[in-house]
Amino acid sequence: MLKLRMAFKYLLPVVVLYWSLETVTSDPSHSPRPNVIFILADDLGHNDVSNIGREHGSAIQTPHIDRLAEGGVRLDKYYVQPICTPTRSQLLSGRYQIHTGLQHGTINAAQPNCLPLDEVTLPQKLKEKGYATHMVGKWHLGFYKAACMPTERGFDSYFGYLTGSENYYFHNRSYTVNGKYIRGYDLRDNKTPAFQYKGQYSTHLFTQKTIDVINTHDKSKPFFLYLAFQAVHLPLEVPLKYKEPYANISELNRRTYAGMVTCMDEGIGNITQALKKTGLYNNTIIIFSSDNGGPVHVGANNWPLRGCKATLWEGGVRGVGFVHSPLFPPSVTGRINREFIHVSDWLPTIVTGIAGGSLNGTKPLDGFNVWDSISGMEPSPRKELLHNLDPLVVAPDVESDDGGRGRIPGRFNTSLRAALRVGDWKIQTGTGEKNEIPSPPGNFWKPPPESGLPAIYPVQKPNQKVWLFNITADPLERNDLSDKYPDVVEMLLCRLQNYYEDSVPPRFPPSDMNADPAKHGGFWGPWE
Ligand SMILES: *[C@@H]1O[C@H](CO)[C@@H](O)[C@H](O)[C@H]1NC(C)=O
Ligand SMILES: *[C@@H]1O[C@H](CO)[C@@H](O)[C@H](O)[C@H]1NC(C)=O
Ligand SMILES: *[C@@H]1O[C@H](CO)[C@@H](O)[C@H](O)[C@H]1NC(C)=O
Ligand SMILES: *[C@@H]1O[C@H](CO)[C@@H](O)[C@H](O)[C@H]1NC(C)=O
Ligand SMILES: *[C@@H]1O[C@H](CO)[C@@H](O)[C@H](O)[C@H]1NC(C)=O
């Protein structure tokens, strides 16, 4: 056991060193640099785009996404984080949450917290390479101080909202904080609160703002455009006409949700058309990603994967992703890429692989430059992935009365909520459930309602706290192998303990009533 642990400790730095040398020496200096548009969908399930879902009983139609995906490179083994803030933090920093203190939950509107200000962000690095940088849509990386706002974190321009789950038409959001009901409007043009869009459905609005950025772009520079759609997160709201094609889906949540996906798909079609009209398409790379698995209790679907949003099962973390570009050679176009890729890989991939920049000034990254795996046929440098390790979610422990904390020094406490992939193996510890309690179960397999298939519930040992799967052989997590391979479990627990020892304490401060929008002209915004 010790030997294995040492091997991990010494092997990892070697891998990292090799990788950084590679990226320095392979810095391409072709010009002009390609434009990059990164489209992030919110709460889109793995089975909710038709190029995947048509094989799994889903009725949702996404013709524009399909055209881009099927005419680009589909990322089949693509992973994201199980909820919003974590994925966004890893996208913009290239670092795991255990290294930024964001391992627990999302950043709530009234929490004095944000992506740590000493993290160097993806748009900051791209500005160094002469990129114009723009963001449209959902931020969700904290805003308590002016220094946390998107325009202070590397974006030249920003149009969007700072919190989550707001009304799609009114752009307002309420919360009960410390027993008090507080609410406010949440939409900004750069730093300025913007009232005039009240009544405009956000998918239309964010699509239009993205097209405006494209139409007014100064072509002497490349651009990076980060579009974080509100769609298709709760609340379930969409103009009627988008629901019409789904009139025969009897579950109302699913019907509305399907309409929301189709509206977003139409927006992506409009944006692609704008790129073509302006002539920018020829030199643009379009990256599409979901931010987490689908919340299956409110319309989304991940079938046949197990689990849902906010769980560490594959249905919570295996994302929908593709990269489309006319710059790809024909040998690459249309491929399904089966390399191991994670959302933390985008920062090094875009900065070095696409923009030809260097990673100077960043903290030690957890992401890898996977550009050669996407645009060529190289194997992914990623062999391992910490899905998360959240020390603030502790399973009730039947063996000890201390809540499971600190039982055996130096040994990983399996009551903590964590999941790790090493090669084919995946270990999960804790309850196997969502971190919000009470909540409906999240550890099962739910088919799309329109398929008429029944859900499948797992048989679980009482108080089970460790699961082991061979994900390559068993991507649906049906056969728990933890009893069969105790040595593998031990090895992976050692690795988790290494990560635990290497993590910073979670930042999850109590809410601050000074956040109340009533104190800030009715808007959610910085209060410190
Ligand atoms: C948002 O505004 C609308 C219209 O003024 C109102 O009906 C609704 O209750 C508000 N919602 C929230 C969450 O504040
Ligand atoms: C529902 O409608 C769609 C599109 O009109 C059609 O393809 C599908 O077969 C219908 N499904 C059922 C169960 O009627
Ligand atoms: C896409 O463009 C069409 C035509 O201009 C427009 O009617 C539609 O509302 C747009 N869709 C979105 C989602 O912006
Ligand atoms: C885009 O590339 C194609 C093929 O090389 C070319 O025919 C077309 O004129 C280009 N369009 C623009 C707007 O540059
Ligand atoms: C990286 O190096 C460039 C060129 O020396 C410099 O302008 C830039 O500020 C550095 N970036 C960081 C984040 O240190």
Side-chain angles (χ1 to χ4, degrees), residues 18-28 348 352-353 357-359 368-369:
Y18 171 73
W19 159 67
S20 38
L21 283 175
E22 264 269 305
T23 55
V24 171
T25 51
S26 71
D27 176 3
T352 62
S358 82
L359 296 169
F368 295 85
N369 173 7

Side-chain angles (χ1 to χ4, degrees), residues 395-401 404 407 415 462-463 465:
D397 190 329
V398 287
E399 294 149 40
S400 65
D401 55 10
R407 292 184 311 163
S415 291
N463 304 309
K465 284 187 296 198

